[in-house]
Amino acid sequence: MTPMQHAEAALAADAAHADAAIWIHRQPDAAILDRARTLEAEGPRGRPLWGIPFVVKDNIDVAGVPTTAGCPGYAYTPAVDAPAVRRLLEAGALFIGKTNLDQFATGLVGTRSPYGVPRNVFDPELVPGGSSSGSACAVAAGIVRFALGTDTAGSGRVPAAFGGIVGLKPTVGSISATGLVPACRSVDTISVFARSVDEALAVQRVIAGFDGQDPYARRPPYPHLRRSAALPAPRVAMADVAPLCEPAVAAAYRQACGFLNAAPIDISLFLESARLLYEGPWVAERTAALRDVLGRRPDVLHPTTRTILESGLDRRTVDAFDAFHTLRQARREAEHLFARHDALLLPTAPFCPSLAEVVADPLGPNRRLGTFTNFANLCDMAGYAVPIGFAPDGTPVGGMLLGPAWSEGRLAPLADALHRRFAATVGATGHPLPPPPPPDTLAADETALFCIGAHMSGLPLNGQVTGLGGRFLRQATTEPAYRLFALGNRPGLLRASGGGAVAGEVWALPTAAIGTLLAQVPPPLGFGTVALADGPCLGFLAESAGVADAPDVTRFGGWRAWLGTQAEGS
């Protein structure tokens, strides 16, 4: 599609959906069409988002457009774009408008706004989810292909679940927060809503980047936004959370766990840390961000927002240190979790409340919505919210795949497979999901490494590879010229006459990390050139003296097959 076709389609979809509460500011039709004509006249120029319409949550600055954060009395007009917005415009994206939100991004229901409540695209009696309500609804209704939101406690994931779309929660600090009205500054991140996992990842590739002016910005330890291929043996964790969920959510979650063959773990410490976001010192951080408004102009605040912010004034420092210690324990637990598993699968939200329920109890339903989302940023996780099924009434149920910081590219194929297993269309549009792209090929700053043992996916030492930025490329076999030996809990590969073909996996590893990984490999193992069926590749090899007395397991065709025979015999 051309920029003009994109623009006309967006305007038509907005008119057909007819929900003014999505918007706090919508660009005039003429301005949108004029910009589309300009983009079309310029041509793509290599810009990855050329002509694609997008919207921005109204707590993120767009030059010349008021930023309200859902509070008219707070409004200001920025002179410059937030870096994330600037990067999108430079990539050729077409700005449509700024969207509604729970005031100051304080809420998960999507109803705490003086600009109205965006309509849930599946059931107008239900909340749309928040705080990024307008952005999610704009994607779910087919007005735009992607939108910027924010995510502190789940604001980029809960409304994605209720709209049947994808919500990408990036690693905190990977996207500049300059030009973002803070909620909890230490754990805020700009987030992405999109039609599919890979479209969300493509947007993050554009907006991510270190910002020296943002004190919470972080440099990625490796290129983390390259898409892996689908893992042959993913290790996914789950938890017994059915008692916390409505029956339809529990049923959909059970099916998703079965699809990914997820293994149960205890997440009680994560659930405890989740409560800290609204019941611990991070409430005071919200209060600190809006101290001037609360002290001088409290009447401009939404009543529920004001209640929450005022509660931060009563927090005690001594309790804060208890919370900090609890969080450190939870972060260490997360390290152990992701050393053993590639991802944690949870429901995005335990239920979807009705508008009437929230009117009757403005705080209770909101608190429950954050059960599974609140801890992710506190525990330094990244993740995707994707549809995992539908309730009997036709409303979508969302699931969430979480991984450690900087795992967005590795999680993408797993999240995409989960999405496509349980949904075929985008939001409420009826439009088919866009096709998935192929995995990213080996980059110039990466080296292909052939793994034949415990460093393969699903096996105990795979974390040494992924922890250095490794990503799975493909399965492969050697030429029929090798012998495989069992050296206890790992194999040794040796080129030998009369050998056979040995199966393994090719991983892409940052070239700068090859030496670091080699330093973790004990003798008689090391790295050398391995002749694969499709060409030479760096890989694990053994010294001949080190395997002299070891059992020869070549006949099994690979280490994973050998392990299978041992499991059967145990």
mmCIF file of all heavy atoms in Angstrom, residues 64 81 84 100 156 196 199 216 242 249 258 298 326 332 341 382 387 389 393 435 455 459 491 516 532 549 557:
data_model
loop_
_atom_site.group_PDB
_atom_site.id
_atom_site.type_symbol
_atom_site.label_atom_id
_atom_site.label_comp_id
_atom_site.label_asym_id
_atom_site.label_seq_id
_atom_site.Cartn_x
_atom_site.Cartn_y
_atom_site.Cartn_z
ATOM 1 N N GLY A 64 4.546 20.273 19.057
ATOM 2 C CA GLY A 64 3.448 21.108 18.602
ATOM 3 C C GLY A 64 2.067 20.610 18.963
ATOM 4 O O GLY A 64 1.071 21.271 18.667
ATOM 5 N N ASP A 81 9.861 16.500 19.664
ATOM 6 C CA ASP A 81 9.318 15.157 19.803
ATOM 7 C C ASP A 81 10.105 14.367 20.842
ATOM 8 O O ASP A 81 11.327 14.551 20.999
ATOM 9 C CB ASP A 81 9.421 14.391 18.476
ATOM 10 C CG ASP A 81 8.612 15.014 17.364
ATOM 11 O OD1 ASP A 81 7.436 15.338 17.602
ATOM 12 O OD2 ASP A 81 9.161 15.155 16.243
ATOM 13 N N ALA A 84 11.535 8.591 20.855
ATOM 14 C CA ALA A 84 10.849 7.454 20.229
ATOM 15 C C ALA A 84 9.963 7.922 19.079
ATOM 16 O O ALA A 84 9.905 7.287 18.018
ATOM 17 C CB ALA A 84 10.021 6.701 21.264
ATOM 18 N N ASN A 100 -6.192 8.448 24.289
ATOM 19 C CA ASN A 100 -6.683 8.526 25.654
ATOM 20 C C ASN A 100 -5.957 7.531 26.560
ATOM 21 O O ASN A 100 -5.388 6.535 26.094
ATOM 22 C CB ASN A 100 -8.186 8.232 25.647
ATOM 23 C CG ASN A 100 -8.912 8.840 26.825
ATOM 24 O OD1 ASN A 100 -8.306 9.338 27.771
ATOM 25 N ND2 ASN A 100 -10.237 8.799 26.776
ATOM 26 N N GLY A 156 0.809 -1.707 28.957
ATOM 27 C CA GLY A 156 1.009 -2.075 27.563
ATOM 28 C C GLY A 156 0.604 -3.499 27.260
ATOM 29 O O GLY A 156 0.720 -3.941 26.113
ATOM 30 N N SER A 196 0.834 -8.009 15.121
ATOM 31 C CA SER A 196 1.533 -9.277 15.290
ATOM 32 C C SER A 196 2.810 -9.051 16.083
ATOM 33 O O SER A 196 3.270 -7.914 16.257
ATOM 34 C CB SER A 196 1.873 -9.895 13.930
ATOM 35 O OG SER A 196 2.885 -9.137 13.284
ATOM 36 N N GLU A 199 5.552 -7.435 13.853
ATOM 37 C CA GLU A 199 5.342 -6.014 13.576
ATOM 38 C C GLU A 199 5.686 -5.182 14.810
ATOM 39 O O GLU A 199 6.233 -4.079 14.691
ATOM 40 C CB GLU A 199 3.913 -5.771 13.109
ATOM 41 C CG GLU A 199 3.660 -6.301 11.701
ATOM 42 C CD GLU A 199 2.355 -5.819 11.091
ATOM 43 O OE1 GLU A 199 1.548 -5.195 11.814
ATOM 44 O OE2 GLU A 199 2.143 -6.060 9.885
ATOM 45 N N TYR A 216 17.874 6.753 33.267
ATOM 46 C CA TYR A 216 17.536 5.343 33.410
ATOM 47 C C TYR A 216 17.788 4.545 32.129
ATOM 48 O O TYR A 216 17.454 3.364 32.059
ATOM 49 C CB TYR A 216 16.084 5.183 33.866
ATOM 50 C CG TYR A 216 15.905 5.547 35.324
ATOM 51 C CD1 TYR A 216 15.466 6.812 35.699
ATOM 52 C CD2 TYR A 216 16.203 4.632 36.324
ATOM 53 C CE1 TYR A 216 15.323 7.151 37.034
ATOM 54 C CE2 TYR A 216 16.064 4.965 37.661
ATOM 55 C CZ TYR A 216 15.624 6.226 38.014
ATOM 56 O OH TYR A 216 15.496 6.555 39.340
ATOM 57 N N ALA A 242 -4.883 -21.063 38.369
ATOM 58 C CA ALA A 242 -6.315 -21.167 38.091
ATOM 59 C C ALA A 242 -7.178 -20.589 39.214
ATOM 60 O O ALA A 242 -8.186 -19.923 38.933
ATOM 61 C CB ALA A 242 -6.692 -22.620 37.819
ATOM 62 N N VAL A 249 -10.563 -17.750 31.616
ATOM 63 C CA VAL A 249 -9.131 -17.447 31.545
ATOM 64 C C VAL A 249 -8.320 -18.680 31.923
ATOM 65 O O VAL A 249 -7.334 -19.024 31.256
ATOM 66 C CB VAL A 249 -8.783 -16.260 32.460
ATOM 67 C CG1 VAL A 249 -7.275 -16.029 32.503
ATOM 68 C CG2 VAL A 249 -9.498 -14.998 31.990
ATOM 69 N N GLY A 258 -0.440 -26.343 27.566
ATOM 70 C CA GLY A 258 -0.312 -27.617 26.880
ATOM 71 C C GLY A 258 0.370 -27.472 25.535
ATOM 72 O O GLY A 258 1.204 -28.306 25.151
ATOM 73 N N PRO A 298 -4.499 20.049 43.318
ATOM 74 C CA PRO A 298 -5.080 18.705 43.430
ATOM 75 C C PRO A 298 -6.447 18.580 42.770
ATOM 76 O O PRO A 298 -6.844 17.474 42.384
ATOM 77 C CB PRO A 298 -5.170 18.483 44.944
ATOM 78 C CG PRO A 298 -5.223 19.863 45.526
ATOM 79 C CD PRO A 298 -4.349 20.693 44.640
ATOM 80 N N THR A 326 12.749 -7.530 49.511
ATOM 81 C CA THR A 326 11.859 -8.494 48.857
ATOM 82 C C THR A 326 12.089 -8.503 47.352
ATOM 83 O O THR A 326 12.151 -9.564 46.716
ATOM 84 C CB THR A 326 10.390 -8.153 49.156
ATOM 85 O OG1 THR A 326 10.156 -8.271 50.560
ATOM 86 C CG2 THR A 326 9.442 -9.081 48.405
ATOM 87 N N ARG A 332 16.578 -12.199 42.090
ATOM 88 C CA ARG A 332 17.462 -13.360 42.093
ATOM 89 C C ARG A 332 16.698 -14.616 41.678
ATOM 90 O O ARG A 332 17.217 -15.471 40.950
ATOM 91 C CB ARG A 332 18.090 -13.528 43.477
ATOM 92 C CG ARG A 332 19.107 -14.660 43.592
ATOM 93 C CD ARG A 332 20.230 -14.549 42.554
ATOM 94 N NE ARG A 332 20.839 -13.244 42.500
ATOM 95 C CZ ARG A 332 21.839 -12.830 43.287
ATOM 96 N NH1 ARG A 332 22.330 -13.644 44.205
ATOM 97 N NH2 ARG A 332 22.349 -11.614 43.150
ATOM 98 N N HIS A 341 14.825 -21.944 32.209
ATOM 99 C CA HIS A 341 13.724 -21.869 31.250
ATOM 100 C C HIS A 341 13.939 -20.710 30.283
ATOM 101 O O HIS A 341 14.557 -19.703 30.629
ATOM 102 C CB HIS A 341 12.391 -21.678 31.984
ATOM 103 C CG HIS A 341 12.024 -22.812 32.885
ATOM 104 N ND1 HIS A 341 12.413 -22.862 34.202
ATOM 105 C CD2 HIS A 341 11.320 -23.950 32.652
ATOM 106 C CE1 HIS A 341 11.952 -23.977 34.750
ATOM 107 N NE2 HIS A 341 11.294 -24.656 33.837
ATOM 108 N N ALA A 382 11.361 -8.723 30.136
ATOM 109 C CA ALA A 382 10.761 -8.254 28.890
ATOM 110 C C ALA A 382 9.699 -9.273 28.493
ATOM 111 O O ALA A 382 9.698 -10.402 28.992
ATOM 112 C CB ALA A 382 11.814 -8.130 27.796
ATOM 113 N N PRO A 387 -2.926 -12.933 22.216
ATOM 114 C CA PRO A 387 -4.173 -13.675 22.430
ATOM 115 C C PRO A 387 -3.910 -15.173 22.569
ATOM 116 O O PRO A 387 -3.082 -15.738 21.844
ATOM 117 C CB PRO A 387 -4.980 -13.377 21.157
ATOM 118 C CG PRO A 387 -4.378 -12.129 20.589
ATOM 119 C CD PRO A 387 -2.918 -12.204 20.931
ATOM 120 N N GLY A 389 -6.852 -17.300 23.135
ATOM 121 C CA GLY A 389 -8.149 -17.949 23.044
ATOM 122 C C GLY A 389 -9.280 -16.974 23.277
ATOM 123 O O GLY A 389 -9.076 -15.752 23.376
ATOM 124 N N ASP A 393 -18.260 -16.122 25.701
ATOM 125 C CA ASP A 393 -19.020 -14.972 25.205
ATOM 126 C C ASP A 393 -18.349 -14.279 24.028
ATOM 127 O O ASP A 393 -18.817 -13.241 23.555
ATOM 128 C CB ASP A 393 -19.273 -13.969 26.332
ATOM 129 C CG ASP A 393 -17.985 -13.375 26.907
ATOM 130 O OD1 ASP A 393 -16.890 -13.704 26.402
ATOM 131 O OD2 ASP A 393 -18.078 -12.582 27.865
ATOM 132 N N PRO A 435 1.573 -12.234 7.605
ATOM 133 C CA PRO A 435 2.448 -13.414 7.631
ATOM 134 C C PRO A 435 3.722 -13.132 8.414
ATOM 135 O O PRO A 435 4.217 -11.998 8.427
ATOM 136 C CB PRO A 435 2.747 -13.667 6.149
ATOM 137 C CG PRO A 435 2.526 -12.341 5.487
ATOM 138 C CD PRO A 435 1.427 -11.671 6.253
ATOM 139 N N HIS A 455 24.899 -27.427 25.352
ATOM 140 C CA HIS A 455 24.633 -26.031 24.984
ATOM 141 C C HIS A 455 23.461 -25.901 24.016
ATOM 142 O O HIS A 455 23.087 -24.783 23.652
ATOM 143 C CB HIS A 455 25.884 -25.396 24.368
ATOM 144 C CG HIS A 455 26.981 -25.151 25.359
ATOM 145 N ND1 HIS A 455 27.935 -26.096 25.653
ATOM 146 C CD2 HIS A 455 27.258 -24.082 26.144
ATOM 147 C CE1 HIS A 455 28.765 -25.613 26.561
ATOM 148 N NE2 HIS A 455 28.379 -24.392 26.879
ATOM 149 N N LEU A 459 18.684 -27.773 26.993
ATOM 150 C CA LEU A 459 19.646 -28.546 27.774
ATOM 151 C C LEU A 459 20.377 -27.638 28.770
ATOM 152 O O LEU A 459 20.343 -26.410 28.649
ATOM 153 C CB LEU A 459 20.610 -29.268 26.835
ATOM 154 C CG LEU A 459 19.926 -30.305 25.921
ATOM 155 C CD1 LEU A 459 20.946 -31.022 25.041
ATOM 156 C CD2 LEU A 459 19.118 -31.316 26.734
ATOM 157 N N PRO A 491 28.941 -34.247 25.541
ATOM 158 C CA PRO A 491 29.577 -35.091 24.530
ATOM 159 C C PRO A 491 30.894 -34.504 24.033
ATOM 160 O O PRO A 491 31.183 -33.321 24.221
ATOM 161 C CB PRO A 491 28.542 -35.085 23.410
ATOM 162 C CG PRO A 491 27.964 -33.706 23.475
ATOM 163 C CD PRO A 491 27.973 -33.312 24.936
ATOM 164 N N THR A 516 34.600 -15.485 25.398
ATOM 165 C CA THR A 516 33.992 -15.619 26.724
ATOM 166 C C THR A 516 33.359 -16.990 26.894
ATOM 167 O O THR A 516 33.492 -17.628 27.945
ATOM 168 C CB THR A 516 32.930 -14.524 26.930
ATOM 169 O OG1 THR A 516 33.537 -13.236 26.746
ATOM 170 C CG2 THR A 516 32.326 -14.603 28.324
ATOM 171 N N LEU A 532 29.983 -29.343 8.252
ATOM 172 C CA LEU A 532 28.561 -29.664 8.239
ATOM 173 C C LEU A 532 28.140 -30.099 6.841
ATOM 174 O O LEU A 532 28.858 -29.878 5.855
ATOM 175 C CB LEU A 532 27.739 -28.443 8.668
ATOM 176 C CG LEU A 532 28.030 -27.865 10.055
ATOM 177 C CD1 LEU A 532 27.084 -26.706 10.347
ATOM 178 C CD2 LEU A 532 27.920 -28.935 11.133
ATOM 179 N N ASP A 549 38.842 -43.264 26.293
ATOM 180 C CA ASP A 549 38.159 -44.305 27.068
ATOM 181 C C ASP A 549 36.660 -44.046 27.207
ATOM 182 O O ASP A 549 35.982 -44.727 27.990
ATOM 183 C CB ASP A 549 38.781 -44.397 28.469
ATOM 184 C CG ASP A 549 40.254 -44.777 28.416
ATOM 185 O OD1 ASP A 549 40.601 -45.629 27.571
ATOM 186 O OD2 ASP A 549 41.040 -44.213 29.199
ATOM 187 N N GLY A 557 23.168 -40.926 16.491
ATOM 188 C CA GLY A 557 22.973 -39.805 15.581
ATOM 189 C C GLY A 557 23.049 -38.431 16.205
ATOM 190 O O GLY A 557 22.982 -37.431 15.493
#
